[in-house]
Amino acid sequence: MNAIEIRNLRRVYRATIGTLRRHIREVVALDGISLEVRPGELFGLLGPNGAGKTTTVKILTTLLIPTGGQASILGFDVVGQADRVRPRIGFIFGGERGLYWRLSACDNLRYFADLYHMDPDRSRRRIDELLELVGLLGREDEKVEGYSRGMRQRLHVARALLHDPEVLFLDEPTMGLDPVGARELRQVIRDLKGQGKTIFLTTHYMFEADALCDRIAVINHGRIVALDTPERLKGYVRDLRVIELEVFGIAPPVIDQVRALPTVDAVSVEDFEQKQILLVQSPQGSELIPEILRLLDTARVGKVVVREPTLEDAYVRLVGGDRGLAQVD
Amino acid sequence: MNRSTLRAYLRVVATVFLLHLKMQAVDLFVVFTVLIQPLLIALLAIYIQRDKAPDIAIYLIVGSGMTGLWSGLLFTSSFAIRGERWYGTLEMLVGTPTPLGVVMIGKVLASVLLSLSSMVVGYLMAAALFRFTLYIMDLPGFLISLALTLLAFVTFGLVIAPFFALSPAVEGWVNALEFPVYVLGGFLFPILMLPGWSTPLSYMLSPYWAAQALHATSSGSGSVYPNFPVALDWAMLLLFSAIYIFLSGRLFGMVLRRAKIDATLGLQ
């Protein structure tokens, strides 16, 4: 039996627009996705913002009712058998909310242990174990309002693991964490996988998915556009070379001109404080550089590198390559 | 429901009760609503009725205490679910095996018992500051009335909590409901002083029957049935509690289903 099964899952959001002449606008968040996650697998759902990642997780964690299709966890339907699903899953949503800030970490954990119907003796032992696991031992009696973002996120991990769930949902767990905090959390995730947990991870950090996941599904506009191991996904762009150009102040029309070159497969831009990194995917490689530089004549160009494609490049190709990847960890 | 589940639910109620009490006790809005405002009302009532105040002091203390009880119930219950949504904890709660209603029992119980302090503080103020002799006419009757009042208020809170979480449109009604119930409930003066058309409205409010029972057993005023001064009041409080329990179950189901369809569990 699969740990997670999704069949033709569809979710449409309805928004009312207008004050006097009101009409309903429909937004398709999930457009019939299907996938399976095996027990003990660390499965990644990768996609840009608004692709449908969080919607998928919220349906799987029984917090949202799908418009169509079916989803089950360990054989239990997430809508009709939500009561059977909840004791078997744990979940973390990115961000700092979801904790009682006026209470201590220990009070928060005791509260959730009761909500998961844990025996008081078992919960006391488990809380100590988890505080040690997430590195909060010694700080457990402090109020959460005094915690750093990373500490709150680690407390979320402890909360999600309290009842020792078989399946864990981690929705962008490292979002907003500093590099050290993110690295520590990734190690915790690896350890959990080592314990045999099934983990469903959503992220838009490619290297994170590459480093952690057994298999990755790439989702875009509510559809799964690829599903494979990280290595095989990288194979999607094996025929290409990536030209990385450091530029200062590139105008959007110029990016469109580069994208329109006949041998260019995809173009993306990573924004840093003063510079941008223009990433051009093409089968041509270095032969294409003079042509790109000709188009960039008004912009200041720094370092130019031609390299082998990575998982991120495969991702850019799969989701269309038209996004500015502003967040770089 | 089996015994272990029942035990688990009771443990949740106890934990929520204690933690909520801990959080509410340091919330300045709650302190103002359940302590300072009822004290100001008591002071004002004693000043207005200064000629008769020594004789009707217990009536004024019980009445002002009722204002604290009602305001505390109204504001904390109406924010009980909305607050969880605001802090992002609603999804965490709904995602656990414990029904949301069980969590809310603990929260409302804590709020109602905390609100009861308004009556205690009013009593102490009248005794210490004004040196009034405060005498509860029928103490056992008063304690039963108080217990039934708490039951009716807690169950009413379990209706208020999901009702105000149903739609943002009804959230604005909260403030508008505070003072009319002081008046229609007959907390500080008998409803006989109000126009006749408002009497049926009073009868439809459990706080009215609570005020009747508490006034009748503490000061002997308020009851229109001299032989059984509080029998009808107690019966009405029990009836309202039963209706509220029924309504509450339906409303929680509706709110959660609506929120899962509209994707509003996690919204601020």
Side-chain angles (χ1 to χ4, degrees), chain A residues 11-13 58 61-65 79 82-83 86-87 89 91 93 97-100 102-104 107-108 110-112 114-120 143 156 159, chain B residues 5 8-9 11-12 15-16 19 22-24 26-27 84-89 91-99 103 257 259-263 265-268:
Chain A
R11 171 72 207 203
V12 178
Y13 291 106
K58 293 216 169 159
T61 51
T62 76
L63 300 174
L64 200 60
I65 295 176
V79 179
D83 292 347
R86 285 178 193 142
I89 61 167
F91 55 89
F93 299 133
R97 299 170 77 233
L99 293 165
Y100 296 92
R102 284 186 192 167
L103 298 177
S104 66
D107 279 343
N108 269 280
R110 272 191 214 124
Y111 179 35
F112 279 98
D114 281 342
L115 292 172
Y116 279 101
H117 304 176
M118 289 175 70
D119 172 72
K143 282 186 182 174
H156 268 303
R159 177 195 53 74
Chain B
T5 311
Y9 286 174
R11 208 164 39 233
V12 169
T15 306
V16 176
L19 294 181
K22 217 172 179 177
M23 288 192 282
Q24 294 269 284
V26 293
D27 187 324
E84 299 285 354
R85 181 147 55 196
W86 183 262
Y87 296 120
T89 45
E91 287 180 320
M92 310 297 153
L93 294 182
V94 174
T96 70
T98 303
V103 176
R257 189 160 175 83
K260 286 180 194 177
I261 290 171
D262 295 344
L265 278 177
L267 288 185
Q268 282 194 38

Side-chain angles (χ1 to χ4, degrees), chain A residues 45 58 66-67 137 159 162 195 211 248 253 263 284 299 301 326:
Chain A
L45 187 63
K58 293 216 169 159
T67 314
L137 207 59
R159 177 195 53 74
L162 267 172
Q195 290 170 23
F248 298 85
T263 56
Q284 264 191 297
V301 179

Side-chain angles (χ1 to χ4, degrees), chain B residues 76-131:
Chain B
T76 52
S77 302
S78 63
F79 196 63
I81 295 178
R82 289 187 299 138
E84 299 285 354
R85 181 147 55 196
W86 183 262
Y87 296 120
T89 45
L90 186 58
E91 287 180 320
M92 310 297 153
L93 294 182
V94 174
T96 70
T98 303
L100 187 61
V102 174
V103 176
M104 291 300 138
I105 291 174
K107 283 185 87 168
V108 176
L109 194 62
S111 301
V112 170
L113 289 183
L114 192 67
S115 305
L116 206 57
S117 58
S118 57
M119 215 176 273
V120 177
V121 173
Y123 185 93
L124 294 176
M125 180 195 73
L129 196 68
F130 293 97
R131 309 254 175 227

